[in-house]
Amino acid sequence: MGFGNIKTKDGQKQLNDFLADRSYIEGYVPSQADVVVFEALSAAPPADLFHALRWFKHMSSYKKLEMQSWPGVKQPLGNYGPKGGAAAAAADSDDDDDDDDIDLFGSDDEADAAAEKLKEERLAAYAAKKSKKPALIAKSMIILDVKPWDDETDMKEVEKSVRSIDTDGLVWGTSKLVPLAYGIKKLQISCVVEDDKVGTDFLEESITAFEDFVQSVDVAAFNKI
């Protein structure tokens, strides 16, 4: 009975076969049965065990607090999964010897077709649910050091020029003047960018284009958000 040692490839293959036409370990909604099996796995199943990996990723999308509210009562891991085991297999073998010429159930074609259709419907529903989740937008916080030519450069104009750079995916943040040497101060200004739309090359080229005010631009800090 059960999946055997679910941390092994053989146990995970049994889990994969079991989930071929199922969305959950028991029933049609997540339950404590799913929690027991999920917690027994030390890591995600390999990619070739598609059904087990699909189920594992689905379980991973829930928080532990949500799982605690699922119906059912936790039982030992061996109580879940394929019924039977070695004893049942031996009994089946004995029955086969006695009933070789008796076809109790007829063709399994219809049952297989129904199971395949059910599997496809569940996979389609799962894919549709995933596609409705909003895509995460990768963003970064960048701090730039903008250095003027000399101590006579109007730093207010420098900041005004920098902030005039306006493009989709760019939001300017706070700024301050930081002393360098000989009375020269640099403008240190932060911004948040969408990684797919704005890069450091664009920022450096756009700022150094104000060549009357800006000598150089350096990236002082770059952090993913």
Side-chain angles (χ1 to χ4, degrees):
M1 178 179 293
F3 304 109
N5 187 349
I6 204 168
K7 295 184 185 295
T8 66
K9 182 67 178 288
D10 184 61
Q12 291 175 13
K13 185 178 186 306
Q14 291 191 53
L15 175 64
N16 185 71
D17 294 341
F18 182 76
L19 291 170
D21 57 353
R22 295 176 175 86
S23 294
Y24 305 102
I25 300 300
E26 288 185 346
Y28 298 97
V29 295
S31 68
Q32 294 304 311
D34 294 281
V35 177
V36 171
V37 178
F38 178 72
E39 290 178 344
L41 284 167
S42 57
D48 59 325
L49 300 181
F50 171 79
H51 305 295
L53 182 60
R54 175 257 305 165
W55 171 84
F56 183 88
K57 288 183 176 179
H58 185 42
M59 292 299 105
S60 299
S61 68
Y62 293 100
K63 295 181 179 178
K64 189 171 184 179
L65 189 61
E66 292 179 280
M67 292 182 170
Q68 293 175 353
S69 66
W70 290 352
V73 177
K74 288 184 177 180
Q75 300 180 31
L77 178 63
N79 288 2
Y80 302 113
K83 304 299 181 183
D92 289 342
S93 177
D94 291 342
D95 289 343
D96 289 344
D97 291 341
D98 295 337
D99 301 323
D100 282 343
D101 298 327
I102 302 176
D103 186 358
L104 297 177
F105 303 103
S107 174
D108 288 335
D109 290 346
E110 293 183 4
D112 290 344
E116 185 65 25
K117 182 179 180 181
L118 178 61
K119 180 177 71 174
E120 291 176 358
E121 289 175 351
R122 288 177 175 173
L123 288 174
Y126 174 76
K129 179 181 177 181
K130 285 294 184 183
S131 66
K132 291 179 182 178
K133 289 187 176 181
L136 293 177
I137 299 176
K139 295 183 179 181
S140 298
M141 166 76 79
I142 302 174
I143 298 178
L144 300 169
D145 283 346
V146 183
K147 298 175 183 177
W149 288 105
D150 51 41
D151 61 340
E152 296 182 358
T153 302
D154 189 339
M155 296 307 293
K156 289 184 178 180
E157 284 298 319
V158 173
E159 181 174 356
K160 181 179 177 181
S161 299
V162 172
R163 291 187 182 275
S164 70
I165 301 171
D166 184 19
T167 187
D168 186 31
L170 169 63
V171 178
W172 292 107
T174 59
S175 65
K176 63 180 179 180
L177 295 179
V178 179
L180 287 175
Y182 307 107
I184 301 175
K185 296 180 179 180
K186 67 180 178 180
L187 172 69
Q188 192 169 84
I189 186 167
S190 66
C191 62
V192 174
V193 301
E194 293 182 21
D195 295 348
D196 290 340
K197 297 179 179 179
V198 180
T200 55
D201 289 343
F202 168 80
L203 293 172
E204 292 174 9
E205 291 174 4
S206 299
I207 295 173
T208 54
F210 300 110
E211 54 188 19
D212 291 339
F213 301 111
V214 179
Q215 179 192 52
S216 64
V217 179
D218 296 317
V219 177
F222 188 107
N223 296 296
K224 296 289 184 181
I225 299 178

